[in-house]
Amino acid sequence: MYPAELVKPMREDLTNVGFEELHTAADVDAAIAKEGTTLVVVNSVCGCAAANARPGARMSLQNAKRPTNLATVFAGVDKEATDKAREYMIPFPPSSPCMALFKNGELVHMLERHHIEGRPAEMISENLMDAYNEHC
């Protein structure tokens, strides 16, 4: 577990733009069950989360079409919620950061860590926007 004061600004990177924090397995179940589209970001303390993932997720929200619901779990902090979110992301192996778009509870798009690491936030944002345009 990481100290709360360390992850607070990392959490706020997403919650300040409308992402709902999920802390329990029940929170994740409820978020995935919502009608419409739900973007779930598995947040992380790693450098690629700070430089690429969170900025890319934020930028993607400037699109005309966007997910109905925004949610986030924090790997290494919210273990129960992260484990539950990853169950919904099967067959993809656990990774953090990562992003998954669900439509009416079904996984329709996935960005794994290897799609994020070393790629600029703009490229991640464009990938997400393409998914929003197709599924939202």
Side-chain angles (χ1 to χ4, degrees), residues 72-131:
T72 182
V73 298
F74 209 110
V77 179
D78 300 317
K79 181 174 177 11
E80 178 186 341
T82 302
D83 289 348
K84 188 62 166 180
R86 287 175 171 159
E87 286 179 22
Y88 283 102
M89 297 172 191
I90 291 172
F92 297 95
S95 68
S96 55
C98 69
M99 302 176 202
L101 183 65
F102 297 88
K103 185 170 187 174
N104 298 321
E106 179 185 343
L107 179 63
V108 293
H109 187 75
M110 184 75 185
L111 274 173
E112 297 174 85
R113 180 185 174 105
H114 70 268
H115 297 123
I116 295 168
E117 195 172 31
R119 291 184 172 72
E122 294 80 10
M123 184 180 285
I124 293 161
S125 175
E126 288 172 12
N127 181 296
L128 289 171
M129 286 189 258
D130 288 344

Side-chain angles (χ1 to χ4, degrees), residues 20 22 24-35 38 69 71 84 88 105:
E20 174 190 1
L22 309 176
T24 68
D27 292 344
V28 173
D29 286 337
I32 300 297
K34 289 181 180 178
E35 283 189 40
T38 301
N69 311 292
K84 188 62 166 180
Y88 283 102

Side-chain angles (χ1 to χ4, degrees), residues 22-71:
L22 309 176
H23 300 287
T24 68
D27 292 344
V28 173
D29 286 337
I32 300 297
K34 289 181 180 178
E35 283 189 40
T37 50
T38 301
L39 177 66
V40 177
V41 174
V42 177
N43 203 347
S44 171
V45 298
C46 73
C48 66
N52 312 61
R54 291 191 300 268
R58 287 193 318 267
M59 283 190 287
S60 75
L61 301 178
Q62 302 307 309
N63 197 45
K65 289 185 176 183
R66 52 182 278 180
T68 313
N69 311 292
L70 304 170

